[in-house]
Amino acid sequence: MKPNPPDWPLLTPSVADDHDKRQFVTALARGLELLRCFTPDGKQLGNQELARLTGLPRPTVTRLTHTLTQLGYLRCNAASGKYQLDIGVLAFGYALLSNLSICNAAQTRMTELARLTRASVAIGARDRLNMVYLDVAHSETHLTMRRQIGSRIPLHSTAMGKACLAAMPEPERAFVLDHIGQHFRDDWSAIRLSLEQAFRDHAERGFCLSLGEWQRDVNSVGVPMRHPSHGLIVFSCGGPGFQLKPRQLEEDIGPRLVDMVRNLEAVC
């Protein structure tokens, strides 16, 4: 399977003035952007593919992959000549997750809500135009979707992503919405209407819904939380549409999730 194109302008520093631009280390940014190209759909990539994804010259990519391999962040497959992520990258992820105190504080509450709803309850945070699962609690039923820590889901069409957008400061939201509009140009009119409804739901009820928008048979609800240490994070509860009906999400699960998040805010 071919890797997906990037969902964000690559190698573009978000800087306010010339001083910030001078502080921006382009070589470091290039190496990190190259690592971002590796996804579940693009587990092994060659220099030519990486050059296409990043827009960098192939000789530059060759030097970067060599350096990252020497440092233990990439590993080269001798048979194919392609690269894949190595153990060094995992160390970063583990260090991040081990410092997320909110996951420990929320785990018992998430597990209980997952049991009551027979669904999955997750914590996520934004990474560009996606949400990334930081922790997840599954119910015991076999009907529950089994998405794991590190899973990426779209920002614009999931309840978790909509709730994240709804809770953003207006300038940041406008910036992100502009990129969503550029990336999903053909569908932007429908996406915009859906997001406007989500923002109204959040203002009126404290949660956002996604009813078959991300995947046709998946319904979910999301509630944002501003954590003093971790910033903006989002809790969601979702599952198969035949199991989680819209009315149940609106009248029962959504309010339960709001209560859970408010209780967490009081103790964090």
Side-chain angles (χ1 to χ4, degrees):
M1 182 180 295
K2 293 183 178 180
N4 294 324
D7 58 15
W8 199 263
L10 297 179
L11 307 176
T12 303
S14 176
V15 294
D17 52 37
D18 290 339
H19 176 267
D20 288 338
K21 291 179 181 178
R22 290 193 297 271
Q23 295 297 314
F24 188 83
V25 182
T26 301
L28 175 61
R30 287 174 170 176
L32 295 175
E33 292 291 352
L34 189 146
L35 291 175
R36 280 182 172 272
C37 293
F38 293 88
T39 69
D41 292 335
K43 296 178 181 179
Q44 290 197 4
L45 300 172
N47 286 332
Q48 184 172 344
E49 292 168 297
L50 289 166
R52 177 177 61 82
L53 288 170
T54 60
L56 294 171
R58 184 166 177 177
T60 300
V61 170
T62 300
R63 292 195 298 272
L64 289 171
T65 53
H66 174 78
T67 302
L68 291 167
T69 300
Q70 292 296 307
L71 294 173
Y73 299 125
L74 291 179
R75 181 168 72 249
C76 184
N77 185 306
S80 67
K82 294 188 175 185
Y83 296 89
Q84 63 190 64
L85 295 179
D86 207 349
I87 297 299
V89 176
L90 180 62
F92 289 132
Y94 178 76
L96 169 65
L97 292 174
S98 65
N99 286 318
L100 286 174
S101 59
I102 183 62
C103 293
N104 293 329
Q107 185 56 235
T108 299
R109 293 174 173 86
M110 291 170 59
T111 300
E112 178 62 16
L113 184 59
R115 184 189 66 79
L116 289 172
T117 59
R118 296 187 302 156
S120 294
V121 180
I123 309 175
R126 183 176 73 88
D127 177 35
R128 301 188 176 187
L129 299 186
N130 293 286
M131 298 296 292
V132 179
Y133 276 22
L134 304 177
D135 199 7
V136 59
H138 295 296
S139 72
E140 296 179 356
T141 175
H142 295 296
L143 299 177
T144 299
M145 299 178 301
R146 294 285 170 176
R147 303 191 71 81
Q148 304 300 327
I149 295 173
S151 295
R152 300 169 67 86
I153 60 176
L155 183 66
H156 69 281
S157 60
T158 61
M160 180 180 279
K162 290 179 180 182
C164 182
L165 286 166
M168 283 181 187
E170 185 58 38
E172 181 182 1
R173 183 198 298 172
F175 179 80
V176 174
L177 289 177
D178 180 62
H179 283 292
I180 293 174
Q182 293 177 36
H183 194 73
F184 299 98
R185 199 180 306 272
D186 294 342
D187 301 317
W188 175 235
S189 294
I191 291 172
R192 186 182 68 249
L193 290 175
S194 174
L195 291 177
E196 288 173 353
Q197 180 61 55
F199 300 158
R200 288 193 294 270
D201 288 343
H202 174 256
E204 295 170 4
R205 301 187 286 187
F207 58 79
C208 299
L209 297 170
S210 175
L211 305 176
E213 296 172 61
W214 168 45
Q215 294 181 356
R216 187 174 56 183
D217 58 346
V218 174
N219 292 338
S220 59
V221 59
V223 176
M225 173 181 172
R226 180 73 63 175
H227 191 276
S229 299
H230 309 314
L232 179 58
I233 57 177
V234 183
F235 290 81
S236 71
C237 181
F242 65 83
Q243 181 177 318
L244 298 184
K245 302 295 185 182
R247 184 173 179 178
Q248 182 186 12
L249 288 169
E250 293 177 11
E251 298 181 2
D252 181 29
I253 299 177
R256 285 181 184 271
L257 190 62
V258 170
D259 287 345
M260 188 193 83
V261 172
R262 298 299 169 259
N263 289 334
L264 280 169
E265 287 176 333
V267 300
C268 289

